[in-house]
Amino acid sequence: MNDLEIIKLLNDALSDKKAEDIKILDIHKISVLGDYFVIASGNNVNQLQAMEDAVDEVMYKNGYHQKQVEGTRQSSWILLDYGNIVVHLFSKEDREFYDLDRIWKDGIEVEA
């Protein structure tokens, strides 16, 4: 399965958990951090945890394994690093504060 197929599955999994404002950015031409950033918002810590679990399940089933995780089960932000795909899960307030959408505006938005 290629990265774009995985991105579609991630988008679907996050949508199933009622994630809001899901954005997928192709950053491979502007960064060595990865090829894709997936950014999504949740309304509370429990929803963020459900979103994290859904992402991890999709990735694991398709042979992608976490290289690093930032944030805890009680965090209002979670970063899941799968190498070429990095997933950022935020509360709405933290997403506004960190403003990755602006910082990575040179990335190309991908439709899932």
Side-chain angles (χ1 to χ4, degrees):
M1 188 165 282
N2 68 40
D3 287 348
L4 287 176
E5 292 170 320
I6 293 294
I7 294 296
K8 170 76 171 113
L9 292 175
L10 285 176
N11 186 71
D12 292 347
L14 288 167
S15 292
D16 287 348
K17 297 300 177 190
K18 308 293 186 232
E20 297 179 5
D21 197 17
I22 301 168
K23 186 176 279 189
I24 300 162
L25 298 175
D26 178 340
I27 61 165
H28 84 275
K29 290 183 179 178
I30 60 172
S31 178
V32 296
L33 296 176
D35 293 337
Y36 297 95
F37 274 0
V38 178
I39 307 168
S41 301
N43 291 307
N44 57 56
V45 172
N46 292 335
Q47 183 184 16
L48 290 173
Q49 188 58 55
M51 291 162 54
E52 177 185 0
D53 292 344
V55 166
D56 202 36
E57 181 179 346
V58 165
M59 297 302 274
Y60 184 79
K61 283 182 178 178
N62 289 284
Y64 289 76
H65 302 286
Q66 289 179 353
K67 303 206 179 305
Q68 186 170 349
V69 177
E70 297 289 332
T72 67
R73 289 212 168 286
Q74 302 306 313
S75 292
S76 55
W77 62 270
I78 302 167
L79 179 143
L80 304 162
D81 182 352
Y82 294 94
N84 53 334
I85 299 172
V86 180
V87 181
H88 301 271
L89 307 175
F90 290 103
S91 68
K92 291 176 185 177
E93 296 80 19
D94 281 358
R95 185 165 179 174
E96 272 185 39
F97 178 79
Y98 290 106
D99 202 7
L100 294 186
D101 302 83
R102 182 189 56 78
I103 293 170
W104 293 98
K105 69 180 183 287
D106 291 337
I108 298 167
E109 191 162 355
V110 175
E111 293 296 322

